[in-house]
Amino acid sequence: MDKKLFGTLADGIETSLYSFTNQNGATMTVTDLGATLVGLLVPDRNGKLVDVILGYDTPQEYVDGSCYFGAVIAPSGNRIAKGRFTIGGKTYQLPINDNENNLHSGPHGADERVWEVAGTDAETNSISFHLAIPDGTNGFPGNFDITVTYTLTEDNAVTIHYEAISDQDTIANMTNHTYFNLAGHASGSIENQTLMLTADRYTPVIDFQAIPTGQMAPVAGTPMDFLTAKPIGLDINADFEQLKFVGGYDHNYVLPDCGGAVQKFAEAYREESGICMEVFTDCCCVQFYAGNGMTEQAGKNGATYYKRQGFCLESQFAPNAINEPAFLSPVLKAGEKYDTQTSYRFSVKE
């Protein structure tokens, strides 16, 4: 492990970078700010190391940015309609920060906090971050205690293990918001990169605010179908209402073994670099976001990022699941343990 100063935030708090390298030369770099994944170097078919995730050069840019690059989202990822929900007969109101809804737990969330390093293991290339979120933060009930562990394996996988406990019934729906580009973070659009998703159902949204209708619709016969690998951009501009609502793909897909054992649910590939990414999770759903809302901005290492220059695969409960009886519930009972993991494994196709 290599540790170095990342930078100092506007309020004077210092942040650090932690880097781990495996026997193949792959390198994972994370920061204690937001328990954020800031760099991921993996070999392409020629053995050249390519940084396949988007990010910034300074910690303040992560705080000021609106894309949540690489951040852990906690306690609740995605959207909650009107920022309102009821648990145990009590109604809670969250901040409204996305149209009329709450997005990613609200402003100044876990992604902007400096987490404690709870432990490192040089032999397994792993690091654990800890954060205690006090009761009532952004309106959520319960003292919410989180540990997130990143591990870089010898087969070029990054595994993210989420653990949490609360002293009150609350929502627990953590995820990671890394943007991937398998040609390199500064290489341009991801629309010609192929994607396969095992999900045969998705949750249609009501309108541009991206709140699900409560239904689970088949992908068959629609541009939402990724059961067979296809370029992300092939149908992204199709004359299809769901895509028009949100400017492309920004939808929740329901996985076949919903909330069961760890399963492979996605495979992405970039022919030019030969880099393939397989994704595994024990979560019930995944949000596929194609970066439609990204605006021109300065990225790391002098890069400039534009619309659809990265894509996200966010393992999760369905958006607004707390308010939809048909969706698997994201309620974590007081004293019970939240425990889930997602892995992104990289290889080369010849």
Side-chain angles (χ1 to χ4, degrees):
M1 184 193 78
D2 177 63
K3 176 186 177 182
K4 65 180 182 181
L5 178 68
F6 187 22
T8 304
L9 297 171
D11 58 9
I13 297 177
E14 288 189 349
T15 63
S16 297
L17 290 173
Y18 302 83
S19 296
F20 299 83
T21 301
N22 68 11
Q23 62 186 0
N24 305 311
T27 299
M28 170 186 76
T29 302
V30 293
T31 176
D32 46 11
L33 174 63
T36 297
L37 182 62
V38 301
L40 185 57
L41 292 165
V42 298
D44 68 8
R45 67 160 54 93
N46 298 315
K48 178 185 176 183
L49 292 173
V50 178
D51 189 350
V52 294
I53 68 172
L54 279 61
Y56 298 117
D57 283 329
T58 68
Q60 192 61 47
E61 288 174 297
Y62 280 94
V63 171
D64 295 339
S66 60
C67 290
Y68 301 94
F69 286 149
V72 168
I73 307 298
S76 180
N78 219 304
R79 295 170 176 86
I80 296 175
K82 310 295 184 183
R84 191 177 303 123
F85 63 91
T86 301
I87 295 179
K90 183 176 180 180
T91 298
Y92 298 89
Q93 180 64 56
L94 310 178
I96 303 303
N97 65 325
D98 182 67
N99 295 307
E100 299 174 356
N101 311 301
N102 177 270
L103 175 66
H104 297 326
S105 302
H108 311 301
D111 59 300
E112 297 184 22
R113 296 276 301 278
V114 176
W115 296 46
E116 171 195 7
V117 176
T120 61
D121 189 328
E123 289 189 6
T124 60
N125 283 330
S126 66
I127 184 169
S128 296
F129 294 105
H130 171 261
L131 182 67
I133 301 179
D135 177 33
T137 300
N138 270 350
F140 287 94
N143 292 293
F144 195 71
D145 195 83
I146 314 167
T147 300
V148 174
T149 301
Y150 287 92
T151 301
L152 174 65
T153 69
E154 294 301 338
D155 63 350
N156 294 351
V158 171
T159 296
I160 310 175
H161 183 198
Y162 307 85
E163 300 170 277
I165 193 167
S166 173
D167 60 359
Q168 297 181 46
D169 292 359
T170 193
I171 296 177
N173 184 21
M174 294 191 286
T175 192
N176 180 277
H177 213 289
T178 294
Y179 290 68
F180 296 97
N181 188 322
L182 302 185
H185 74 97
S187 64
S189 174
I190 47 82
E191 292 180 61
N192 63 348
Q193 298 177 29
T194 63
L195 177 67
M196 182 279 298
L197 294 172
T198 61
D200 61 3
R201 295 177 298 163
Y202 77 106
T203 53
V205 297
I206 299 169
D207 57 21
F208 70 95
Q209 297 195 53
I211 297 296
T213 63
Q215 305 301 310
M216 288 178 278
V219 301
T222 77
M224 312 304 290
D225 189 346
F226 282 88
L227 289 168
T228 300
K230 68 179 181 181
I232 291 171
L234 180 65
D235 299 320
I236 201 168
N237 296 314
D239 186 12
F240 187 69
E241 185 177 56
Q242 286 295 309
L243 295 174
K244 288 184 172 182
F245 279 152
V246 291
Y249 297 107
D250 189 6
H251 292 80
N252 173 68
Y253 283 76
V254 182
L255 303 184
D257 185 14
C258 193
V262 174
Q263 60 180 311
K264 175 180 173 178
F265 71 86
E267 182 172 315
Y269 175 61
R270 165 75 175 189
E271 183 177 1
E272 288 80 357
S273 67
I275 295 174
C276 175
M277 180 179 74
E278 299 170 281
V279 195
F280 306 78
T281 193
D282 55 10
C283 291
C284 61
C285 297
V286 61
Q287 185 85 4
F288 168 43
Y289 175 49
N292 316 301
M294 289 179 60
T295 56
E296 181 179 346
Q297 60 192 287
K300 60 187 177 184
N301 303 322
T304 300
Y305 297 148
Y306 301 92
K307 178 180 179 179
R308 296 179 184 161
Q309 196 158 325
F311 66 90
C312 303
L313 294 170
E314 305 160 62
S315 53
Q316 60 175 15
F317 287 98
N320 200 38
I322 187 65
N323 294 313
E324 288 293 351
F327 295 167
L328 194 63
S329 173
V331 172
L332 177 67
K333 295 292 186 180
E336 293 185 358
K337 187 178 181 182
Y338 175 92
D339 192 322
T340 184
Q341 69 177 39
T342 299
S343 296
Y344 303 87
R345 187 171 69 197
F346 296 85
S347 60
V348 171
K349 284 185 177 181
E350 298 300 334

